[in-house]
Structures are given as C-alpha cells and as structure tokens.
Amino acid sequence: MCLAVPGKILEVTGDDPMLRMARVSFSGVVRQVSLACLPEAKLGDWVLVHAGLAIAALDEAEAEQQLADLRRILELAPELEPEPEPEPEPEPEPTP
Amino acid sequence: MKFVDEYRDPEAARRTAEAIRRDTTRAWTLMEVCGGQTHAIVRFGIDELLPPGLELVHGPGCPVCVTPVELLDKAQLIAARPEVIFCSFGDMLRVPGSHGDLFAVRARGGDVRVVYSPLDALELARQHPDRQIVFFAVGFETTAPANALAALTARRRGLGNFSLLVSQVCVPPAIEAVLSSPANRVQGFLAAGHVCAVMGYEEYLPLAERFRVPIVVTGFEPLDILQGIHATVRQLEAGRHEVDNAYGRAVRREGTPAARALIAEAFVVSDRAWRGIGVIPRSGYRLRPELADLDAELRFDVGALVVAEPAECLSGLVLQGVKKPRECPAFGTRCTPDTPLGATMVSAEGACAAYYRYRRRTSEGAA
C-alpha cells in the first residue's frame, strides 16, 4: 500500500499552501496531485506521489550518487568469472 | 520510467548479488519491514539470488494485513447504512471480517466505492451533500499525510458529511515489538523507504543503538533492495549497528517536514491493535480531540464493538517473521486468495498472497 510513483511536475496551480495542486506526468499519464507537503515544489521538479499527494521531492543528484556508489562497489568486485553451473539441487521430498 | 528503470537493470542486479555473496561469510537473518518490498522480493526472486544462510523474513508492514477484524466489522456496519457512501482503497474490500467482506456489503446494496486518494472521497462529499461520505483511512506513515490533509480540508471547508474510519499504524513501534519478542531471530532491518520519505529516519537511531541491529532505509526496485541488503550485511559482517540510508534520492534525514506537520495537525499518537499480533503501545494515530467530529467510529456509534480474532490463521506469526507462509497447514489449500482465512492472503502486499502468486507452482511440495 505504500506504493509511491515518481512523476514530473508539468504545471502548478493555486497559492494557498494547503490547496496547491500540480499536474504531474507519470511516463505520459497525467494526474492532478496535491502539493500540500511540498511548499517549494515547482515546474519541472520530480516528486514521489502516493494516494494523490506528493510526499517527497526526488533528488536527481542523490539518484546519480546512488548509481555511482553502486558502480564503485561493483568495480571493487574481482573480475567476474563465468557463472559456475549451479549444483543440482536434490529433488524435494513431496509432502503428503 | 526515470528513477525506476535504471534500478531494474538485470545485469547490475546480478552483479550486486555477486557482491553480496562475496561479502557474506556467515548466516544472517534480515527482515524487510514493508509489504511492498516483500512483494518485489518474491516477484523478482531477489531472495533466490542470495547466498545460502542469508535469509529474508517478511515483516508487518502491510496496513491491509494488520487492520484488526474489529475495525473491518465496524467498516461493514457503517457501509451498510443507507445514507452512507463508504470509500476505501481497493485492497480493503476483500479482507474478511467476522462475517464476510465489504464486497458482500456492496452485494447486499451498500454503496461501497474504491477511490485512489482520500481527496477523491472529499470530492464525493462536495458532490453529494445529502449523503454521508466515510473514508476508510488505513495506512502507515506514508499514507498519513493524505489522510490528514483530507481531515483538515474537510474541516476548513465545513464539510459536515465527511468522516474518517481511522486505522493508522506506525513502523518503529512494530520493529520494537519484533525485536522485543522472545521468538525474534531478526538481526538487521531494511526500513521502509516511503515511510522514511515522509518521516525521515531519526526515530530509528535509538532502536539501532538499543537492540544493536543495523537498520538500512531501502527503496522498492530490485537494485534498491539488493543495495539495502548489501549495506545491512556489510554492517553485520563488520559488527556495526547503525542507521544507513540506501534510498537517498527520496529520503532525507528529516523526511518531508510539511508532511510531518500535516500529520501532527490532524493526529495524535495512540495505542493500536494489530491483526494477529495484538495491541502495541503508541503504535498508531487517531484524530486529534478537536477533530473528533470527523471520527466515523463516534459519528456512527460503533466504537464499543469488540470482536475476537479468528484463531486458525497464522498471519500474526508470519507478520512478525517467525513463520514463512508455506509453514502454514492451510496455505494454498483451505486458504487461497479466493477464500482467504486472513488478510496476508488478500492484500497484494501480504506475504502469503505473494508466495501464492509467485511461488506456488515452482515450489509446490517444498516446505
């Protein structure tokens, strides 16, 4: 239920912080989303949307950093050898 | 989709799993708290990429699964009233109460509607001034800002025909309950990324310290989950017990301050009963006293209803990571998504439903 989907703000409407809304594109599917939690969100920002509400701003620099960290960890790994054939697992005993 | 696809790269996932295997020297048991993560783990087979002995057990982070039977019965009583339009997220409709589910109420003529957001229910209240609109406000901290906003907006607009049946629960007290149980075998946690997107992760620091367990804030895509597992294992292997953030693109230490402010304006912390687990002190929210007129339990006078939990379902043990779904004798036989004994078989995020959907054929017969 805590599913939240990233989307990009196409348009912001309203001034009242509690009633501010945005049109948000989720890979082309556009929905109205409340910006009550993100008073500083603006056109072009990426946000995480749950139950009709933008609950967090997405940070592109952090996203890059996470992928860079991942590459660094993987580069530390020794040259990958070809995957050995997995040992055949014994057939599970059928339970009655 | 940006922020999603790059975290689903199968080659990167395979190599991250390789790094986990390289860095794991002992058996460890980790718990992913959130049902959304459980679903992703079983769907993508992430647990099957891990080295032998590195086990994932599934946590209580499925709001549909932990909503007590008593509240489902109250929902059905309210939904059956002729003046009520009862609104809910879709996955609550099939969860069995003592006598059937909300679909059965609808079949008997109750006006039960699925909405995507509590704000949609608020809009229904504006469109139907002659009806009572009740929203089933189920959720963890992730959903609390939306429910809070609905309550506060209803108050501001003076919508007298809107109320909330509140079942809001919180993650940190559930982690504490798992760690305090004598049956506990969890040594590290993947904390629920979207709960932390709202709340931040400061409240996990004392838990990590007190119970000496690493807690790693983790996202929902396969690479996020593998990175969360890797960060947890590296801490365990090094004898550390800290709070790490492996979901930096969405989670900041302080969370989303305006979201937390909305929660504080609408709710106060309260004890909550968890289905299959029992009452956990200070483990959820109820409406603030000044918003009590928006409380559907009071408005429809169902607050006094007391209902016992059914005994045959093991979901309480599954939700605490003590049992796996296939250890239940009813799994896949007397209990299926069509005839569920408990909510963990109903919700898409319930551990039993995830195993039934993705593991039944490949693992039949294996305990």
Side-chain angles (χ1 to χ4, degrees):
Chain A
M1 178 172 282
C2 289
L3 181 73
V5 184
K8 189 175 189 176
I9 297 180
L10 302 179
E11 185 186 6
V12 178
T13 50
D15 296 322
D16 183 325
M18 231 170 89
L19 303 179
R20 228 159 65 101
M21 298 293 287
R23 283 175 58 231
V24 173
S25 168
F26 305 94
S27 291
V29 178
V30 177
R31 293 203 69 136
Q32 286 286 329
V33 167
S34 164
L35 291 181
C37 295
L38 296 175
E40 284 156 23
K42 58 185 190 308
L43 185 75
D45 284 357
W46 284 82
V47 292
L48 198 54
V49 176
H50 169 80
L53 203 71
I55 55 166
L58 283 165
D59 186 324
E60 296 200 60
E62 280 287 345
E64 283 303 317
Q65 186 62 48
Q66 186 186 352
L67 290 171
D69 287 348
L70 179 72
R71 280 191 292 271
R72 190 174 49 76
I73 288 168
L74 297 182
E75 275 157 20
L76 288 177
E79 269 310 295
L80 287 176
E81 293 161 22
E83 284 271 288
E85 282 296 308
E87 290 190 22
E89 287 188 15
E91 281 295 309
E93 290 288 319
T95 48
Chain B
M1 184 186 282
K2 187 177 155 81
F3 292 113
V4 172
D5 293 341
E6 55 272 48
Y7 301 93
R8 289 191 176 177
D9 175 5
E11 177 58 18
R14 201 181 63 76
R15 295 192 60 195
T16 310
E18 185 79 20
I20 293 171
R21 283 198 289 274
R22 181 194 67 206
D23 290 341
T24 306
T25 66
R26 296 171 49 187
W28 301 109
T29 301
L30 316 185
M31 174 180 275
E32 85 281 358
V33 172
C34 173
Q37 290 170 336
T38 302
H39 185 89
I41 286 164
V42 180
R43 175 180 171 202
F44 292 107
I46 290 169
D47 50 339
E48 294 172 336
L49 296 174
L50 302 179
L54 179 53
E55 189 188 357
L56 294 176
V57 294
H58 316 307
C62 163
V64 175
C65 304
V66 301
T67 297
V69 171
E70 191 168 289
L71 217 57
L72 293 161
D73 288 1
K74 288 176 182 178
Q76 292 174 29
L77 281 174
I78 294 170
R81 296 173 70 108
E83 76 275 27
V84 166
I85 300 176
F86 192 87
C87 303
S88 169
F89 295 126
D91 42 1
M92 288 308 293
L93 265 56
R94 292 183 51 246
V95 182
S98 302
H99 315 284
D101 55 24
L102 282 163
F103 270 124
V105 174
R106 182 151 86 181
R108 290 194 296 270
D111 193 344
V112 178
R113 302 190 190 183
V114 172
V115 294
Y116 154 81
S117 163
L119 303 178
D120 298 341
L122 210 57
E123 180 57 23
L124 280 173
R126 201 184 58 75
Q127 291 168 3
H128 299 277
D130 54 327
R131 304 284 298 277
Q132 284 288 329
I133 314 302
V134 182
F135 181 69
F136 203 173
V138 171
F140 274 87
E141 294 96 320
T142 313
T143 316
N147 290 336
L149 181 65
L152 297 168
T153 308
R155 166 53 59 83
R156 236 172 90 159
R157 292 190 185 153
L159 285 171
N161 63 331
F162 179 81
S163 58
L164 299 145
L165 181 59
V166 177
S167 180
Q168 282 282 170
V169 283
C170 299
V171 165
I175 289 184
E176 186 174 349
V178 167
L179 286 169
S180 304
S181 160
N184 174 55
R185 54 200 189 92
V186 178
Q187 296 160 295
F189 285 88
L190 310 184
H194 292 152
V195 166
C196 295
V198 169
M199 302 300 289
Y201 51 84
E202 285 178 352
E203 54 191 334
Y204 298 87
L205 301 173
L207 285 173
E209 184 57 40
R210 183 173 141 212
F211 292 98
R212 306 181 68 79
V213 288
I215 301 177
V216 177
V217 179
T218 302
F220 293 80
E221 299 305 328
L223 266 182
D224 289 319
I225 293 170
L226 284 162
Q227 278 193 289
I229 293 168
H230 193 206
T232 312
V233 165
R234 292 214 295 180
Q235 283 203 48
L236 286 166
E237 291 280 343
R240 290 187 291 122
H241 48 87
E242 292 157 15
V243 177
D244 258 358
N245 182 7
Y247 196 31
R249 66 185 184 278
V251 176
R252 281 152 283 276
R253 184 183 173 102
E254 71 282 7
T256 301
R260 295 173 66 179
L262 276 178
I263 295 173
E265 205 180 330
F267 294 117
V268 284
V269 171
S270 70
D271 297 351
R272 278 275 168 202
W274 295 54
R275 185 171 191 165
I277 299 175
V279 173
I280 303 177
R282 301 179 58 75
S283 65
Y285 301 130
R286 61 181 166 78
L287 287 164
R288 297 195 76 87
E290 56 271 34
L291 295 172
D293 59 313
L294 294 170
D295 185 341
E297 287 194 56
L298 300 177
R299 185 173 297 188
F300 300 99
D301 197 21
V302 293
L305 184 72
V306 178
V307 177
E309 298 278 333
E312 54 195 335
C313 176
L314 289 187
S315 63
L317 296 174
V318 172
L319 291 165
Q320 294 172 86
V322 178
K323 294 267 189 197
K324 286 283 180 75
R326 285 196 296 260
E327 293 175 57
C328 176
F331 176 81
T333 55
R334 293 195 305 288
C335 182
T336 70
D338 287 332
T339 56
L341 292 177
T344 43
M345 187 56 98
V346 177
S347 167
E349 296 179 353
C352 298
Y355 275 71
Y356 188 87
R357 181 160 173 197
Y358 297 113
R359 294 288 162 81
R360 194 163 41 106
R361 284 192 204 90
T362 53
S363 311
E364 244 165 62

